[in-house]
Amino acid sequence: MTSILTVDDSASIRMAIRIALSGAGHDVAEAADGAEGLAKARDAKFNLIITDLNMPNMNGLEMIREIRKLPIQAGTPIIFLTTESDDAMKQEAKSAGATGWLVKPFVADHLLKVTRKVLGS
């Protein structure tokens, strides 16, 4: 079973992601902002992290930069799931260590397709 961390300040988005990924057999952990996401990433190895960009306390870019310093998350793919679609922001995310980018609102089938591709399953 793969372990996936979803980080978003919207409880309804986290729930939609959890339902989509849990239904496909993934174990899904949740965090409500970047600071909580970073704390969870320090405590457990995840196979994939899906994060929002704009969140209170610590945004997604700051969180990714910190997660990329953690040996426990070495090689863990990180996907942004956000309403932002600006090319400059995508480049900044890539520079920070993001693996991919999905734009909200998302379709569960597309999220599952991207998840399978990133996880190589």
Side-chain angles (χ1 to χ4, degrees):
M1 179 179 288
T2 56
S3 180
I4 299 173
L5 173 63
T6 180
V7 185
D8 199 303
D9 57 330
S10 168
S12 62
I13 295 293
R14 291 194 314 271
M15 183 175 69
I17 292 170
R18 182 172 36 82
I19 289 170
L21 297 178
S22 296
H26 302 290
D27 182 33
V28 180
E30 298 179 29
D33 60 43
E36 184 180 356
L38 178 59
K40 289 192 176 195
R42 284 184 174 133
D43 291 341
K45 170 70 177 163
F46 293 98
N47 300 101
L48 171 65
I49 298 172
I50 300 171
T51 183
D52 190 10
L53 177 60
N54 300 308
M55 298 179 285
N57 300 319
M58 177 184 280
N59 71 35
L61 283 174
E62 294 168 324
M63 184 189 76
I64 288 176
R65 288 184 185 109
E66 293 302 315
I67 285 174
R68 289 301 183 211
K69 297 175 187 174
L70 301 175
I72 192 172
Q73 300 302 338
T76 301
I78 302 175
I79 296 174
F80 264 114
L81 180 63
T82 180
T83 56
E84 300 279 343
S85 60
D86 180 69
D87 287 339
M89 184 58 72
K90 289 180 183 177
Q91 188 57 45
E92 187 175 351
K94 186 175 179 181
S95 295
T99 307
W101 190 280
L102 291 172
V103 177
K104 295 178 187 172
F106 70 94
V107 176
D109 286 345
H110 185 63
L111 177 64
L112 290 170
K113 183 178 177 182
V114 170
T115 300
R116 282 192 298 269
K117 182 177 180 181
V118 170
L119 294 173
S121 57

